[in-house]
Amino acid sequence: SSEVLEAIENVIQGVLQSLAQRKAPVLTVANRTDWRNIEFKDSVGLQMMPGSTAKQIRSDCPQSAKRFALMIKILSMIYKMVQSNTYATKRDIYYSDTLLFGSQSIVDQIINDISCMLKIPRRSLHVLSTTKGFVAGNLSYTEEDGTKVNCTCSATAVTVPSNVQGIKNLTSRAKFILIVEKDATFQRLLDDDFFSKVSLCIMITGRGIPDLNTRLLVRKLWDSFQIPIFTLMDADPHGIEIMCIYKYGSVSMSFEAHHLTVPSIKWLGLLPSDLERLNISKDALIPFTKQDENKLASIQKRPYVACQPLWKKELEIMAASKLKAEIQVLTSLSSDYLSRVYLPNKLQFGGWL
């Protein structure tokens, strides 16, 4: 915590020095959304390059003065929390003064900018993100406050902890981890008792684009158990994008890639080639929208696709057919096809990329 306090004091000192010299204070933040600042490394995923281009948030410029003020305001809130060893969610910060902040997304962006500027992970700033992910299966652990959590014996899933860093005593006999894109599919596998009937495993869902805590938990499970991690996504550009976030990270959080990515994650399904192999009727598939075409084209240009020839092939199949499918399409074969046939066969015979 002394490191965090010192980093914030250095920023404020810079502001005071500028004022003492009758200059307008400026905050300098690395440009987190520029692909030119990002390099791809097999072992880490997408990470921010040292010496990347930065943007200046000036206090004397009408376009950025408000953002400058909000950054100082949130820095002061973080400073007080670290000093008093208290925590707040991003939502708490927004609701402390909704009129001032204007929207939750502005608060989210500023907190990420501060984390990037100070080069300090967000949870060390005592800011917790709201968790939306679930975990179930052969796993138990102790939360920071001493609460014992057993994911094995509950018929319902457990919410991903809001302080993943603080959990300890993780134990599991799972043979693999299965990341499921959607809540509906996750609940279906839970109802079918998949994680104990078919094979001992841990199932996780971020319910769409994963929040920070779900990604941190996937990484923590990988560090703790070193067992295979598979993803089960829709066969559409959005599903592929989500898988890439777990595996290689996102551009906007590339400055924290080391804590968040697991490059060894495998793509289990639903593969575009599966649709052909299983003779899924064309009527059950959904035609691409213009947005799907653009998203797929942008994924195909990404640096990590070049080193994944089998992925490249799957993306080409999807681009040529201009059709997509949700995992639920498998129910057109039989209601429990996913848990009874599709997943057991894939896991046994190695149908992943």
Side-chain angles (χ1 to χ4, degrees):
S1 63
S2 60
E3 222 176 282
V4 181
L5 296 175
E6 194 182 333
I8 296 173
E9 285 161 9
N10 288 340
V11 171
I12 301 305
Q13 211 172 354
V15 168
L16 293 173
Q17 276 170 347
S18 298
L19 291 170
Q21 293 161 2
R22 297 180 182 276
K23 288 181 187 160
V26 171
L27 296 174
T28 306
V29 180
N31 204 335
R32 289 186 298 113
T33 52
D34 191 339
W35 271 93
R36 289 170 299 185
N37 286 339
I38 310 298
E39 63 180 344
F40 170 65
K41 259 194 176 165
D42 260 356
S43 57
V44 182
L46 300 174
Q47 62 173 14
M48 190 171 269
M49 290 190 281
S52 44
T53 61
K55 54 183 181 189
Q56 289 198 326
I57 296 162
R58 303 189 60 86
S59 57
D60 61 345
C61 165
Q63 284 86 6
S64 61
K66 183 174 181 186
R67 197 172 186 91
F68 179 91
L70 294 181
M71 281 187 80
I72 297 292
K73 165 79 174 165
I74 291 178
L75 277 168
S76 82
M77 292 173 86
I78 290 168
Y79 193 84
K80 280 178 196 149
M81 288 192 297
V82 174
Q83 257 186 335
S84 59
N85 196 25
T86 53
Y87 287 81
T89 65
K90 295 185 298 183
R91 214 168 167 66
D92 296 334
I93 290 174
Y94 168 60
Y95 278 108
S96 69
D97 199 333
T98 52
L99 277 178
L100 176 70
F101 293 119
S103 78
Q104 180 71 62
S105 66
I106 287 172
V107 171
D108 297 356
Q109 285 167 21
I110 287 176
I111 287 163
N112 284 343
D113 276 345
I114 287 172
S115 174
C116 184
M117 174 175 77
L118 301 178
K119 295 185 172 51
I120 288 169
R122 197 163 76 192
R123 57 211 161 277
S124 302
L125 302 176
H126 286 229
V127 178
L128 303 171
S129 31
T130 316
T131 295
K132 64 187 178 86
F134 288 134
V135 59
N138 194 280
L139 172 70
S140 57
Y141 56 84
T142 310
E143 292 206 337
E144 198 180 26
D145 63 2
T147 310
K148 287 186 168 54
V149 178
N150 187 350
C151 307
T152 313
C153 60
S154 60
T156 54
V158 172
T159 307
V160 167
S162 58
N163 186 0
V164 175
Q165 234 25 37
I167 66 172
K168 49 192 180 294
N169 307 334
L170 287 88
T171 56
S172 175
R173 290 183 296 119
K175 301 284 183 284
F176 63 90
I177 296 163
L178 182 66
I179 299 172
V180 183
E181 177 189 349
K182 279 196 186 134
D183 195 21
T185 311
F186 181 85
Q187 296 299 339
R188 181 66 213 244
L189 289 172
L190 212 54
D191 294 344
D192 290 351
D193 205 10
F194 173 77
F195 65 81
S196 57
K197 216 185 273 176
V198 178
S199 175
L200 288 181
C201 73
I202 299 167
M203 296 196 313
I204 290 187
T205 180
R207 298 162 77 196
I209 293 171
D211 57 276
L212 194 70
N213 293 326
T214 305
R215 290 174 63 190
L216 282 168
L217 183 62
V218 169
R219 176 59 196 249
K220 183 140 191 154
L221 293 173
W222 165 248
D223 288 339
S224 304
F225 305 123
Q226 302 276 313
I227 51 177
I229 304 182
F230 300 110
T231 57
L232 181 63
M233 305 281 151
D234 287 341
D236 66 9
H238 189 65
I240 293 165
E241 172 84 285
I242 288 171
M243 172 178 59
C244 294
I245 290 173
Y246 283 108
K247 189 174 168 75
Y248 294 129
S250 57
V251 174
S252 64
M253 291 297 286
S254 58
F255 63 96
E256 264 214 66
H258 290 272
H259 309 286
L260 293 172
T261 59
V262 184
S264 59
I265 283 174
K266 303 278 182 268
W267 185 7
L268 186 74
L270 191 59
L271 303 177
S273 59
D274 288 340
L275 303 174
E276 227 163 77
R277 184 174 60 80
L278 299 171
N279 285 324
I280 302 279
S281 147
K282 285 268 195 289
D283 301 339
L285 304 179
I286 309 160
F288 261 25
T289 61
K290 189 77 193 124
Q291 206 178 356
D292 290 324
E293 282 183 46
N294 295 341
K295 168 74 78 188
L296 184 59
S298 103
I299 292 171
Q300 284 177 302
K301 289 192 194 105
R302 290 189 193 163
Y304 42 72
V305 173
C307 65
Q308 294 273 9
L310 296 173
W311 277 31
K312 216 170 163 183
K313 219 181 232 169
E314 294 291 336
L315 299 182
E316 280 161 6
I317 292 171
M318 193 187 281
S321 73
K322 292 198 175 163
L323 293 168
K324 59 184 183 176
E326 296 186 331
I327 297 162
Q328 283 84 337
V329 79
L330 296 176
T331 55
S332 66
L333 302 171
S334 79
S335 65
D336 58 352
Y337 191 85
L338 175 66
S339 59
R340 191 176 50 84
V341 183
Y342 182 82
L343 288 174
N345 281 351
K346 281 256 175 174
L347 292 161
Q348 192 178 343
F349 302 115
W352 58 78
L353 309 179

